[in-house]
Amino acid sequence: MRPEGRDEHDSLYFTYPHFDAPGPDAPRGMEVPVAIVGAGPVGMVAALELARHGQRCLLIDAKSSFNDGSRAICIARASYHILDRIGALDPFLSKSLPWTTGRSFFRGRQILEFEMPDGPDDRFRPMYNLQQQYIEQYLWDAVARTPLIETRWQTRLDGIDTRAGGPTLGLTDPHGTYAQPARWVLAADGARSAIRRMLGLRLKGENYEGRYVIADIRMTHDYPTIRRALFDPACRPGGTVLIHRQPDNIWRIDYQLAPGESAEEATREDNVRASVAGVLDEIGETGAWELEWWSVYSANTLALDDYRAGPVFFIGDSAHIVPIFGVRGLNNGLADAQNIGWKLALVLRGEAGEGLLDSYTPERRGATLDVFANASKSARFMTPPSFGWSLMRDAALSLALRHPWAGELANPRQMAPYRYADSPLTAPPVTDGDGRAGPLPGPLPGAMIPDARLDDGFLSQRMGPVFTLLSFGPAPDISHPLLTCLSLPPHSAWDAPEGSTYLIRPDLHVAAHWTRPDPRAILDHMTRILDHS
């Protein structure tokens, strides 16, 4: 929503582009390898991942511009590695605001200051703030310069038929309606997914009572880029307020609605202005400000039972909806896009069997359930669902005024990327065989690799385009068309025994670890991943 007199794309700081529909003579109806429905951040990352591996795709969106409002603003370190892999990184680094610190307050007194893990071996900071308009603009710039991606704006999905052969989409643009066949479809069409509805699928899970108004304002304010959480502040008794700095002097203020408070009333412009003024008074900010945009949000943990329906794969909010606490919504969706992107690309290239695609749901739904487990705890703390939860939450916060350990309960961060421990692509952890309990030091199979500073940059910059075989010591004598071999001396960031060899996937997750690498064992595991059996 925008202030009275401004339309949905009339921003104080961002100029929205306008995208024309395909012309009347544009080719329509020729089969495409992959059709992606939804040109938001998740859909564009999927397209760029496919293109990175040399595969064509069609990107479809009913809109004529980007999504309105700042929406998702927190991008995690792991997502910056994705942006790097797809060739879209530079503008993100130039514009976004990195941060490492969070502060929590209870009734006006600070109870916690936390630092997210960060060190000299990390190429990127733990978190960056950037409005979604810029996220979409920078991804679009990368899409527009990629000839393998065809984009059709102002093109609405009216139906999908998956009954015979490959899927066929029914599409409508200003020049008419037509059938669009594809080999595969990626549903990146958001929380209200039309594809999900057309296929008779529904999200399942838990709806929380907590509702928030999210409001962006423009003001000059010298507080650093630190996430602030205010519990039971005077401006919203019993509620929670979150405050984030964004580029261009834009500040995001999220404030919880009280039980029984009407969302319709709360989102009236005069009420939003009054609520924002109350928050600013709470933090001692007395300068001038302008209202930019606002919306309302509910905390839910919802997901499909299966992220695949035949030739259709669901990515991002079409597959799952997670609470904002822990900032895993957008970041989870980008990981979905990368995960299915490289797998589909290898299948389309004839370098992997379709069995590889069976790993998508267990990996990415597993990641969603892990988010749910952490976010549910945070959601109950941030938005207590009952009087009893509220009583316990406030008791813990009161303890935090005197005991620092209790303040950690107010820390919702979930920083580590999900480990694909139970994936069919992941080998079991290696032990030393001498009765030692547990795996050897170093990253476990399934985990995302730690980065490491090298003499000429960072380890993540040395990874091959598809799979990488990383050896700490002499590399085994092995050759495979999808494999880049890399040999390094032991590095403290990995804590891996000398002689260790790791097979690393295109998404920088460890597939397998050997202490005595045998070329046959490595090739056998590659075959297992690529499903050439």
Side-chain angles (χ1 to χ4, degrees):
M1 303 178 192
R2 302 271 181 187
E4 185 177 358
R6 290 164 50 197
D7 65 32
E8 66 175 354
H9 291 146
D10 186 3
S11 170
L12 296 173
Y13 66 94
F14 183 83
T15 301
Y16 285 85
H18 174 83
F19 301 115
D20 293 329
D25 299 325
R28 292 169 172 80
M30 295 180 62
E31 184 178 84
V32 295
V34 183
I36 304 172
V37 181
V42 173
M44 286 193 278
V45 165
L48 289 165
E49 179 68 12
L50 285 162
R52 183 171 82 85
H53 295 283
Q55 298 306 299
R56 295 187 302 111
C57 66
L58 172 63
L59 192 57
I60 300 161
D61 202 294
K63 303 189 304 300
S64 61
S65 191
F66 303 140
N67 287 290
D68 70 302
S70 67
R71 297 176 182 257
I73 64 168
C74 295
I75 314 175
R77 172 183 286 144
S79 294
Y80 267 62
H81 282 288
I82 295 174
L83 297 172
D84 182 36
R85 299 286 279 176
I86 61 175
L89 176 66
D90 289 349
F92 285 88
L93 283 178
S94 297
K95 187 71 174 181
S96 60
L97 302 179
W99 58 280
T100 61
T101 305
R103 293 173 182 164
S104 296
F105 302 81
F106 178 54
R107 295 174 182 167
R109 295 173 59 186
Q110 183 170 319
I111 59 170
L112 171 70
E113 178 167 321
F114 65 83
E115 292 287 336
M116 293 182 286
D118 194 34
D121 285 308
D122 291 308
R123 183 180 173 200
F124 304 119
R125 305 288 65 75
M127 201 69 65
Y128 295 81
N129 284 356
L130 184 67
Q131 298 94 315
Q132 186 165 322
Q133 300 104 312
Y134 287 119
I135 296 172
E136 295 190 21
Q137 178 69 67
Y138 299 153
L139 289 171
W140 169 249
D141 291 343
V143 167
R145 61 177 179 260
T146 305
L148 291 171
I149 305 173
E150 177 191 356
T151 308
R152 298 180 195 167
W153 295 95
Q154 299 188 46
T155 300
R156 185 183 71 244
L157 176 72
D158 292 325
I160 180 169
D161 186 351
T162 62
R163 290 173 297 180
T168 299
L169 306 178
L171 302 179
T172 297
D173 64 24
H175 302 289
T177 297
Y178 59 99
Q180 175 61 61
R183 183 171 172 186
W184 305 97
V185 173
L186 299 184
D189 51 346
R192 296 182 177 87
S193 171
I195 293 183
R196 193 177 63 225
R197 172 177 49 81
M198 291 170 184
L199 295 180
L201 303 173
R202 58 185 296 269
L203 301 174
K204 299 177 184 177
E206 189 170 356
N207 296 290
Y208 291 91
E209 292 299 321
R211 298 163 300 148
Y212 281 76
V213 169
I214 57 177
D216 283 349
I217 64 172
R218 183 167 67 177
M219 67 176 177
T220 302
H221 180 50
D222 59 3
Y223 204 82
T225 308
I226 289 175
R227 191 221 68 166
R228 280 179 284 182
L230 315 180
F231 294 98
D232 195 16
C235 62
R236 306 292 299 181
T240 306
V241 175
L242 303 174
I243 305 172
H244 276 282
R245 183 177 195 161
Q246 305 175 71
D248 300 325
N249 285 327
I250 301 296
W251 293 80
R252 161 69 63 78
I253 298 174
D254 300 15
Y255 55 89
Q256 185 181 0
L257 300 184
E261 190 173 1
S262 163
E264 183 178 0
E265 282 295 306
T267 53
R268 278 179 27 204
E269 183 177 339
D270 58 335
N271 287 331
V272 172
R273 289 183 179 277
S275 295
V276 168
V279 173
L280 296 179
D281 183 64
E282 181 87 20
I283 63 175
E285 176 54 54
T286 59
W289 57 276
E290 297 174 89
L291 183 59
E292 155 71 0
W293 171 87
W294 68 93
S295 186
V296 67
Y297 171 86
S298 296
N300 300 308
T301 50
L302 302 169
L304 289 171
D305 288 334
D306 194 330
Y307 289 3
R308 179 181 183 180
V312 179
F313 294 87
F314 293 88
I315 57 178
D317 285 353
S318 72
H320 48 72
I321 299 175
V322 305
I324 58 172
F325 318 119
V327 296
R328 303 305 296 180
L330 172 67
N331 295 291
N332 223 33
L334 300 186
D336 293 347
Q338 182 190 42
N339 188 293
I340 192 58
W342 70 263
K343 292 172 181 176
L344 266 181
L346 293 186
V347 170
L348 289 165
R349 282 162 49 168
E351 293 169 327
E354 292 188 11
L356 174 61
L357 305 177
D358 294 337
S359 63
Y360 173 67
T361 287
E363 289 188 352
R364 295 310 307 154
R365 192 169 189 276
T368 302
L369 297 180
D370 184 61
V371 170
F372 286 0
N374 289 277
S376 295
K377 299 172 188 175
S378 297
R380 290 189 179 96
F381 197 87
M382 304 290 283
T383 61
S386 66
F387 174 77
W389 275 102
S390 182
L391 196 65
M392 288 190 290
R393 195 276 302 270
D394 289 350
L397 292 171
S398 295
L399 279 171
L401 294 173
R402 301 183 302 278
H403 304 287
W405 61 265
E408 288 296 329
L409 296 170
N411 181 359
R413 294 294 117 193
Q414 181 201 13
M415 283 303 303
Y418 179 67
R419 177 181 165 229
Y420 299 137
D422 298 323
S423 169
L425 310 186
T426 301
V430 174
T431 61
D432 61 7
D434 294 328
R436 175 185 176 132
L440 289 177
L444 291 170
M448 186 173 176
I449 65 168
D451 214 344
R453 184 181 287 275
L454 307 177
D455 291 339
D456 57 349
F458 287 87
L459 178 62
S460 59
Q461 297 172 285
R462 302 275 297 276
M463 293 293 104
V466 191
F467 291 91
T468 302
L469 194 69
L470 172 62
S471 299
F472 289 101
D477 184 12
I478 186 171
S479 177
H480 190 284
L482 300 182
L483 197 59
T484 298
C485 294
L486 181 63
S487 178
L488 295 174
H491 197 289
S492 59
W494 280 62
D495 190 29
E498 185 171 3
S500 288
T501 293
Y502 293 86
L503 178 62
I504 301 165
R505 303 167 13 154
D507 53 15
L508 305 186
H509 284 256
V510 175
H513 173 204
W514 296 272
T515 54
R516 299 175 182 86
D518 172 62
R520 174 48 54 191
I522 295 169
L523 290 173
D524 285 348
H525 196 74
M526 288 282 292
T527 299
R528 175 184 167 192
I529 290 173
L530 298 173
D531 188 46
H532 279 309
S533 57

